[in-house]
Amino acid sequence: MQGLVFLKKKRLWASLLFSIILACQSVVFADDIDEIREIIKDGYYVPVSQEILDKPTIDEILEELDPYTEFFTKQEFDEFIKSIDMNYVGIGIIGEQHDQGVKVVYLFETGAAIKTALQLDDIIIEVNGTSLTGKTIDEAQEYLLGSPGSTAHLKVFRPETKETLAIDVNRAKTEIAPTVESAWLGGNIGYLRLNSFNEESVSELQKAMKNVGQVEGWIVDIRDNGGGYLDAAQDVAGLFPGVEVALIVEGQEHDANSFTSNKQNPQLTGPIFLLINADSASASEILAGAVQDQKAARLYGQTTFGKGVAQTVFELSSGNFFKMTVAQFYTPDGYVIDGTGIKPDVETEIGEELKVAHRDMLLLDEETATLSGQKFGGAVPVNVEIAVHLNGVFSADTLKEKVSLIELGGKNVEINVEPTSLEGFKITPAKLLKPESSYLLKIDSGIKDYVLSFKTSDKIEKKEPTQVKFLDVKATDFFANSAIVLYNEGLLKGIGERKFGPEIQLTREQAAVFFARILGLDTEGVVNPGFSDVKASEYYYSSVAAVKKAGIMNGKSQNHFGTGDVLTRGEMAALLVRAFQLQAKGAAAELGVGAATPFNDVAKSSFANDILKLYQSGLAGGTTKTTYSPEKAVTRGEFVTFLYRALVSQGNSEDFAVVSVE
C-alpha cells in the first residue's frame, strides 16, 4: 500500500510523495540508530516517549510506531522508488526460482528481452559468467539488473529442444505496468485507468485523453492504486474542473496547511465518474476526497483503504534511508481519512464498479423505461435473440438506427435487426457475445430510452435455421423479410403447396387481391365491377370489385379488366400512388420526372408522374442506376417488397413505444 511521503536528502529534500510499503529485511548499522532517534524526536507526527526512543535496536523502536515508518537500506530504497515509478532497469522478464537457475515466466512488452531470442520457459543458468544455480530469486536479481545499456551475457537452457544457448540482452528501462491505460467505451464514453501517481501521470493521462478523443463523459479508474507522489496527486486533481484544493495536511505542531490542485490544460470534460475500492489508498484517497468534496466527480465502488498519514524520507549519513510519518492529511472539507477511508457515492459489489458506472453514465439525464422479459431473469446464451414488439410500424433500418447494444465496461456491439411482423422485430448480435458479461440494450424512442439489462452465460443455444413458410423463399432473398412479415400478418398466401412463386410475374387480378387484402377493403358487400373478363365465380371477383370502388384499379377499358395480363412496373407505380396517396415533394412536381429522378427511360411513359412520386417516396428504385423499365413485368417477389415498403412508409413516425421484449 502506498502512502504520503515527504522526501528529503540529508533533511534538505522537500518534495512530497506517496510510497509503497515494502517488506524490508533491515540491515542495522550502529551509527544509524542515534540519527533515527533524533529524527523521530524532532518530527514524528505525534510525541514519542523517551522510553521508546531508548530501545536498543531500530526494529524494536519501529515496533512501537505506526506501520508506515520504515528503515531502508540503499538497495531497498532504490526498489521502493522503482515500484512507485512502475519501472526498473534490467532484462525485462518475470522469473521464478528453478533448480538450474531462473525460469522465464513472462516477457514484458516494453522490456529488452522480448526483442531477443529468449523465450518463455527458458531457464537462465548463467549471467556474465556467474552461475545462477542454487540462487534465490533475490540473489539472481542482483545479476540480472544493471545500468541502462549494459549487456547481460546469458547462458540459457531450453527444455523444449534440450539446447544450451548464448543470448545477449542489453539492459533497459522496463515498465512493470503502464502508468495509464485507456479505452473508448460504448456510448462514446472515455475510460482512463491510473495505476500510480508518479512524474508521468498527468502527461500520460493527457496523452490518453487525446488518443480517446471527444467523448460524452469520462470514467477514471483508481481501483487498486496504492498512491505515489503528492505533487502528482495535485497535478491529477487539476484535471478535474472545479477542484481548487487537493488536501489539508496537519503536522506535529497541529498546524494545518492547505495544498491546492495544479490546474491543467486541457481538463476532463462532461460528467466524470471515479472508480475506487478498498485498495485505493493514500494519493488515491486524496484525489477521491478532493473531487467528492468539491462535487467534481461521482464516486463508485467501495470505501477506500483509509491511509491518511504522510511520511518523509530522510537520507541518513550512512547512505541508508528512514521513512517516517510526519503528518496526517484530510479532505478539503476537513474529513478524516486515516482509519476511515473515502466512502463512494454509489456503492457497488466488488468487481462491478466499472459496469455500474458505465451503465449510469449511458443513462445519465435520460428519461428511461426499464424493459424485462422472462428469459432475461437469468443469464442468456451468448447468441441470444431479442424479440421486440412496438406500438407502431417501422422499417428494420429505421429501428436499427435507434437501437444500441453495449457491453458494460466495453464497446458497442454490432447488431442485426430483422422484421418479424409490421410491429415486431428480432434483434441479434452480429457475433457471439462475451460469456459471463453484462450488456445493456437501449432503444431511443424519441421520448424516452427503453432499457434492457442482461447478463450472458457461457452457453450457446442451438438454433434451427431461419424458417420461412414457403419452400422457394430463402432467408437471404431480397424479398424474404417482406414475405415473412406479410405472411405473419396474414396478408400473404402462396400459390400451392408451400410455394410462393417469387419469380412468377404478377397478373392484374393477383395485384387486385393483394391490395384488397392489405388495405382491408370491404370484399363482402360489393357490386358487379362491370368487367366481362371478371366472373363472379372467380376467387378474385370481390377483390377486383373492391379495388375499383376504392379508385385504386380500373380496367384496361370500360368493360375489360385485363385478367391474365401481367402487371408492369409503370402500372405498379400508379397503383401504389393511388393506394397510399403518395405525393411529389417540393419543386419536383414542377421539374418533372426527367429532372427529379435519375431515370432516362420514363419521360414518355404515361406513368411518369406516378414513377416520380414512387421514387421520391423511397419505395422503389430502378432496374439500373439510370433506368426504371416501366414496361417490364413485376414479379411476385418484387411486388411484396414494394407493398411492405409502402406499409412501413405509412406507419413511420418519430416517436414510438416499446410494448414488450422476449
Side-chain angles (χ1 to χ4, degrees), residues 39-81:
I39 292 170
I40 294 172
K41 183 177 180 180
D42 291 343
Y44 192 65
Y45 81 117
V46 294
V48 178
S49 70
Q50 191 63 44
E51 181 183 356
I52 293 174
L53 294 174
D54 287 340
K55 287 186 178 293
T57 67
I58 293 176
D59 285 343
E60 287 178 282
I61 293 173
L62 295 182
E63 285 177 3
E64 302 295 331
L65 306 181
D66 74 300
Y68 309 116
T69 298
E70 299 180 85
F71 174 82
F72 293 101
T73 64
K74 186 179 186 306
Q75 182 180 351
E76 290 168 341
F77 187 71
D78 288 343
E79 294 302 315
F80 162 73
I81 293 299

Side-chain angles (χ1 to χ4, degrees), residues 355-433:
K355 297 174 185 177
V356 175
H358 190 190
R359 183 184 190 280
D360 285 3
M361 188 165 284
L362 289 170
L363 304 178
L364 193 65
D365 299 326
E366 299 285 351
E367 184 179 349
T368 61
T370 301
L371 299 172
S372 62
Q374 185 175 357
K375 77 176 181 181
F376 300 104
V380 300
V382 292
N383 59 339
V384 62
E385 294 181 350
I386 305 171
V388 177
H389 187 73
L390 309 181
N391 71 338
V393 179
F394 274 82
S395 72
D397 290 340
T398 300
L399 182 62
K400 187 175 181 179
E401 293 176 359
K402 299 175 180 291
V403 177
S404 300
L405 180 59
I406 301 169
E407 179 195 356
L408 295 180
K411 300 184 182 299
N412 286 65
V413 177
E414 184 180 352
I415 58 172
N416 296 317
V417 178
E418 301 174 35
T420 55
S421 66
L422 289 173
E423 298 180 349
F425 300 86
K426 181 175 68 175
I427 299 172
T428 56
K431 298 180 179 179
L432 295 179
L433 300 178

Side-chain angles (χ1 to χ4, degrees), residues 97-99 101-102 130-140 143:
Q97 193 167 322
H98 189 276
D99 290 342
V102 174
T130 299
S131 173
L132 300 186
T133 302
K135 286 184 167 52
T136 66
I137 285 293
D138 289 339
E139 291 171 337
Y143 300 96

Side-chain angles (χ1 to χ4, degrees), residues 281-326:
S282 204
S284 293
E285 294 175 287
I286 294 298
L287 180 64
V291 300
Q292 187 178 58
D293 280 1
Q294 291 158 94
K295 296 179 172 54
R298 184 189 298 176
L299 273 56
Y300 283 77
Q302 302 87 45
T303 300
T304 59
F305 183 78
K307 183 184 182 302
V309 288
Q311 289 76 44
T312 297
V313 173
F314 297 86
E315 184 178 6
L316 304 175
S317 300
S318 64
N320 296 320
F321 293 85
F322 183 58
K323 177 168 68 76
M324 182 181 73
T325 298
V326 297

Side-chain angles (χ1 to χ4, degrees), residues 200-391:
E200 307 297 326
S201 293
V202 163
S203 62
E204 290 294 320
L205 282 168
Q206 289 180 321
K207 185 189 301 182
M209 289 162 58
K210 183 177 180 180
N211 290 339
V212 173
Q214 294 294 322
V215 291
E216 301 297 323
W218 291 96
I219 297 175
V220 181
D221 191 349
I222 55 172
R223 291 174 297 173
D224 303 315
N225 183 331
Y229 302 107
L230 173 60
D231 54 2
Q234 292 174 273
D235 290 342
V236 173
L239 288 171
F240 291 75
V243 175
E244 302 294 332
V245 179
L247 77 161
I248 296 171
V249 177
E250 183 179 274
Q252 189 183 58
E253 302 301 323
H254 302 293
D255 49 337
N257 294 305
S258 176
F259 286 77
T260 61
S261 68
N262 299 324
K263 292 296 180 185
Q264 305 298 326
N265 185 23
Q267 293 183 312
L268 297 165
T269 57
I272 308 169
F273 293 171
L274 187 71
L275 308 185
I276 57 175
N277 66 5
D279 288 322
S280 301
S282 204
S284 293
E285 294 175 287
I286 294 298
L287 180 64
V291 300
Q292 187 178 58
D293 280 1
Q294 291 158 94
K295 296 179 172 54
R298 184 189 298 176
L299 273 56
Y300 283 77
Q302 302 87 45
T303 300
T304 59
F305 183 78
K307 183 184 182 302
V309 288
Q311 289 76 44
T312 297
V313 173
F314 297 86
E315 184 178 6
L316 304 175
S317 300
S318 64
N320 296 320
F321 293 85
F322 183 58
K323 177 168 68 76
M324 182 181 73
T325 298
V326 297
Q328 185 166 203
F329 58 87
Y330 307 87
T331 73
D333 286 350
Y335 294 109
V336 174
I337 295 175
D338 198 48
T340 302
I342 303 294
K343 293 183 179 180
D345 299 306
V346 179
E347 186 170 359
T348 74
E349 294 183 14
I350 296 173
E352 297 294 310
E353 304 88 359
L354 177 57
K355 297 174 185 177
V356 175
H358 190 190
R359 183 184 190 280
D360 285 3
M361 188 165 284
L362 289 170
L363 304 178
L364 193 65
D365 299 326
E366 299 285 351
E367 184 179 349
T368 61
T370 301
L371 299 172
S372 62
Q374 185 175 357
K375 77 176 181 181
F376 300 104
V380 300
V382 292
N383 59 339
V384 62
E385 294 181 350
I386 305 171
V388 177
H389 187 73
L390 309 181
N391 71 338

